[in-house]
Amino acid sequence: MLWLNCNQELGILYGLSDPGKIQSFYSVGIVLALFVSAALLGRNVEPAKILVVYPTIALLTLVAIYFIQTPAICLAGGFLLGFFAAGGVLQLVTAVANEMFPKNRGVITSIVMIASSVANYLVVSVAGILTRIGGTEGPRLVLLFNIAVTLVGILLAVYLNGCLKKEKAAAAKE
């Protein structure tokens, strides 16, 4: 959400003549990620592991975009963020949550979607404030905020993986 709300302004700030192209690259990344993620899941890669790897690559992409202020990085970053941050990550979270609580799939799916909606509202509100106070540097402030949010997501995914590992070890002992 944060990337979608600032990518075109960031593209302009970085000298991109047609910042609308960023969205096209982003969309291609999303579509490609859905196929790759499906293939990974088909090869029994655990969704919780993807929830660490994808956001980590997204974080590295955001950091690169922050420091490499060129038009090309906006386009490449748009693709990579589409792939690693938007391409089915919410669906993977829902799948992992449903796997953890199989008896309450409907409730868990609702909780995940409500949490996503609340988070989207909050981060977009904060992004608006950062844009207002940041002036022309507002998009870069939003980018820093995006880095922070992504880092928190990675830490939560690492914690989740640890919990799942403990749970599987306990189940194996039984």
Side-chain angles (χ1 to χ4, degrees):
M1 266 328 244
L2 288 170
W3 177 253
L4 288 175
N5 282 287
C6 78
N7 71 61
Q8 293 196 19
E9 292 83 7
L10 193 66
I12 292 167
L13 187 63
Y14 286 8
L16 188 62
S17 60
D18 184 5
K21 287 182 180 178
I22 299 171
Q23 186 62 37
S24 298
F25 279 74
Y26 181 83
S27 297
V28 170
I30 290 172
V31 172
L32 187 59
L34 295 175
F35 290 112
V36 171
S37 297
L40 289 172
L41 295 172
R43 293 181 182 209
N44 294 322
V45 174
E46 294 178 30
K49 290 197 184 340
I50 295 172
L51 291 175
V52 172
V53 174
Y54 277 19
T56 300
I57 296 170
L59 176 69
L60 295 173
T61 300
L62 290 165
V63 169
I65 294 167
Y66 185 81
F67 287 109
I68 305 170
Q69 300 176 25
T70 65
I73 195 70
C74 289
L75 298 175
F79 172 80
L80 292 170
L81 290 172
F83 190 103
F84 292 109
V89 172
L90 179 61
Q91 291 76 11
L92 290 172
V93 168
T94 305
V96 170
N98 281 319
E99 182 181 311
M100 292 176 72
F101 304 99
K103 294 181 182 178
N104 301 308
R105 290 179 181 264
V107 172
I108 293 304
T109 300
S110 295
I111 291 170
V112 169
M113 293 304 162
I114 290 168
S116 174
S117 297
V118 170
N120 284 337
Y121 172 77
L122 291 175
V123 296
V124 170
S125 296
V126 171
I129 293 166
L130 291 173
T131 300
R132 271 194 308 279
I133 66 172
T136 58
E137 287 293 308
R140 289 181 42 83
L141 289 177
V142 173
L143 196 56
L144 286 173
F145 180 52
N146 201 346
I147 289 168
V149 169
T150 304
L151 183 58
V152 169
I154 293 166
L155 294 173
L156 290 171
V158 167
Y159 176 76
L160 171 73
N161 272 274
C163 290
L164 290 173
K165 186 175 180 180
K166 285 180 187 176
E167 190 177 291
K168 286 181 183 180
K173 285 183 182 179
E174 292 177 1

